[in-house]
Amino acid sequence: MANKKPVVLRPFKAPRYSFGKLRVCKRCGRFTALSEERCTGCGRAALVPVERRAASLAGRRMAASLLTVALLTLAAAYFAADTAQRALCAAAGLILLAVLFAAQRKARPAENLRALDELLGRNIGAVKEGLELNRQEAVSVLRENDTLAYEKLREIAVLLRGDRVARQRVALLHGFRLRKDMDLEMEQLLLRDFEPLLAEYIGEVARLRRDLIKDRTLRYVQRYEAQILEMKDGPAILAAVAGSAVRMKRYVLLYSSFISRYAHSLPRDRFLRLHQLISACPHESWNGLDVRTREIREAKYRWDPDFG
Amino acid sequence: MISYVILGIAFLYTVSRILRYFLRGRRPVDREEIDGRLLAALNGGDRPHG
């Protein structure tokens, strides 16, 4: 804890859809997930959200259709033999334009989304390239400003959810002094394999923000329980995670054997919560956890009135 | 005569556009689908585990 750096991270809200983080340069077509004002490729302030870009492309396509019909109408009127024919062509053309315009207005939301799908599908290589450049940019500022590097990686991680970015974020978080009021994340940082820094982070999150310890984290901890136990603070990490799990009955039922192994190390408030959960539902199949809880209660809290 | 031919082309073009909007509207793409496809393309085989 002593070497950890106190940091202030800017608040971060992940968009509902990952493409909400993506912007594209109207000039050079480079994609970015970072919130810079100017495109790092061409230096122009021409970055727009991909959804807006797709809507503009769809609008342009629709305008081109209208223009085509208008030009054909004009051509028809131009080649008309007499005034009556000209008037007829103009009127028919106007009706076609009106009908097409009405159809376009109705189809606009669906067309915008289709244009977005096409834009991303067609440029997926450019999107990957842009995100890789973003990642390199984040890594390049790591030495001078690790907080900024973390913030950049956090933005990129909305789209790049693989282990590489998550591992870099975990390594950076390891150097920060975590606080309860921080925008902490958990499930997004889980890796495929065992990582001691991640295990330490899980332990800290379990102490600071129990609500972030959910199914996937519990499964991760259970999978690498043996490796965590070998760590210096391993038992404390596992006890903190077990303490977090007892906040929900579902977790207690699902991870009863895991909780049972660390029930003796739970702080009083967490053990009381476990005791109350089990006492409230004595007929559930607790998989031996109820017996273990009774034993611990007898041994440690026998005279405690709250455990009556 | 030629003006009627051009008008016919304009009519067919308009109908084809409207038909296209209609058919696409029957199988619309939603945001979840786009999001899922994008994430799969970016993280293909490297999705988060746990």
Side-chain angles (χ1 to χ4, degrees):
Chain A
M1 193 69 157
N3 326 334
K4 297 205 180 216
K5 180 179 158 187
V7 290
V8 178
L9 297 174
R10 275 179 292 182
F12 175 72
K13 194 173 184 311
R16 184 164 174 201
Y17 302 106
S18 58
F19 56 78
K21 202 85 205 89
L22 210 52
R23 290 185 305 155
V24 60
C25 177
K26 284 194 284 183
R27 302 281 172 187
C28 68
R30 182 178 281 194
F31 288 83
T32 180
L34 301 180
S35 31
E36 68 263 43
E37 279 182 15
R38 289 180 172 275
C39 170
T40 45
C42 63
R44 305 210 190 179
L47 289 166
V48 287
V50 281
E51 228 178 324
R52 203 196 301 167
R53 179 74 182 143
S56 132
L57 292 174
R60 217 179 278 180
R61 269 207 294 266
M62 287 184 164
S65 299
L66 283 174
L67 192 67
T68 307
V69 176
L71 287 175
L72 286 169
T73 306
L74 283 176
Y78 179 75
F79 289 110
D82 51 37
T83 317
Q85 206 178 32
R86 190 164 294 128
L88 184 72
C89 288
L94 284 176
I95 291 169
L96 288 178
L97 277 172
V99 172
L100 183 60
F101 182 70
Q104 285 184 343
R105 272 193 67 174
K106 203 171 168 213
R108 190 66 198 262
E111 285 297 304
N112 285 353
L113 286 180
R114 202 166 278 272
L116 176 64
D117 196 30
E118 282 166 11
L119 175 72
L120 296 174
R122 219 177 26 241
N123 296 296
I124 194 69
V127 174
K128 282 183 184 172
E129 198 182 310
L131 292 175
E132 178 54 26
L133 288 169
N134 285 167
R135 198 192 63 81
Q136 284 171 7
E137 193 188 319
V139 173
S140 72
V141 297
L142 207 144
R143 282 186 192 281
E144 307 93 68
N145 191 341
D146 50 0
T147 315
L148 182 65
Y150 175 76
E151 284 172 351
K152 283 179 189 275
L153 287 172
R154 186 172 62 174
E155 292 192 69
I156 299 164
V158 172
L159 287 141
L160 292 183
R161 301 188 177 182
D163 278 8
R164 191 154 66 141
V165 174
R167 205 177 288 276
Q168 284 168 332
R169 293 170 72 206
V170 169
L172 282 168
L173 279 168
H174 182 69
F176 300 157
R177 187 175 300 160
L178 303 181
R179 293 185 319 272
K180 213 175 189 166
D181 60 332
M182 270 180 175
D183 268 333
L184 297 175
E185 291 170 274
M186 191 60 259
E187 306 229 313
Q188 297 88 331
L189 294 167
L190 293 175
L191 304 169
R192 271 172 216 261
D193 48 10
F194 175 65
E195 168 60 61
L197 295 183
L198 176 61
E200 270 184 44
Y201 178 74
I202 292 174
E204 280 193 63
V205 170
R207 280 183 279 270
L208 295 168
R209 291 276 309 273
R210 278 183 212 126
D211 56 306
L212 294 180
I213 305 293
K214 294 179 186 161
D215 261 322
R216 285 186 49 221
T217 312
L218 290 166
R219 283 204 298 272
Y220 181 87
V221 170
Q222 222 176 12
R223 194 187 315 150
Y224 296 111
E225 191 180 340
Q227 286 93 324
I228 298 174
L229 265 178
E230 284 170 16
M231 290 169 60
K232 194 179 143 225
D233 295 321
I237 293 171
L238 292 166
V241 173
S244 301
V246 302
R247 78 181 194 284
M248 277 173 79
K249 184 182 160 192
R250 192 173 74 84
Y251 293 154
V252 178
L253 282 166
L254 273 171
Y255 304 98
S256 51
S257 49
F258 170 74
I259 295 169
S260 185
R261 288 194 286 280
Y262 302 97
H264 64 280
S265 314
L266 291 181
R268 184 186 172 278
D269 68 314
R270 302 321 294 156
F271 186 75
L272 179 60
R273 165 82 186 144
L274 177 65
H275 169 74
Q276 285 167 344
L277 262 176
I278 293 175
S279 309
C281 315
H283 304 300
E284 288 281 4
S285 71
W286 295 106
N287 195 19
L289 181 60
D290 46 349
V291 179
R292 181 83 186 113
T293 307
R294 248 195 322 272
E295 285 169 9
I296 296 169
R297 186 181 69 113
E298 284 301 311
K300 286 172 81 175
Y301 303 104
R302 199 171 175 182
W303 310 109
D304 194 325
D306 290 339
F307 288 85
Chain B
M1 184 63 190
I2 192 165
S3 64
Y4 288 133
V5 173
I6 297 172
L7 201 60
I9 294 169
F11 175 76
L12 289 177
Y13 179 78
T14 308
V15 169
S16 77
R17 291 286 105 182
I18 292 172
L19 210 64
R20 189 181 149 99
Y21 296 142
F22 174 73
L23 291 176
R24 282 177 160 206
R26 284 185 68 178
R27 279 195 326 113
V29 189
D30 60 20
R31 286 186 164 79
E32 278 82 9
E33 221 175 301
I34 299 173
D35 197 39
R37 262 204 286 270
L38 176 66
L39 288 177
L42 291 176
N43 303 289
D46 198 19
R47 302 298 295 269
H49 280 245

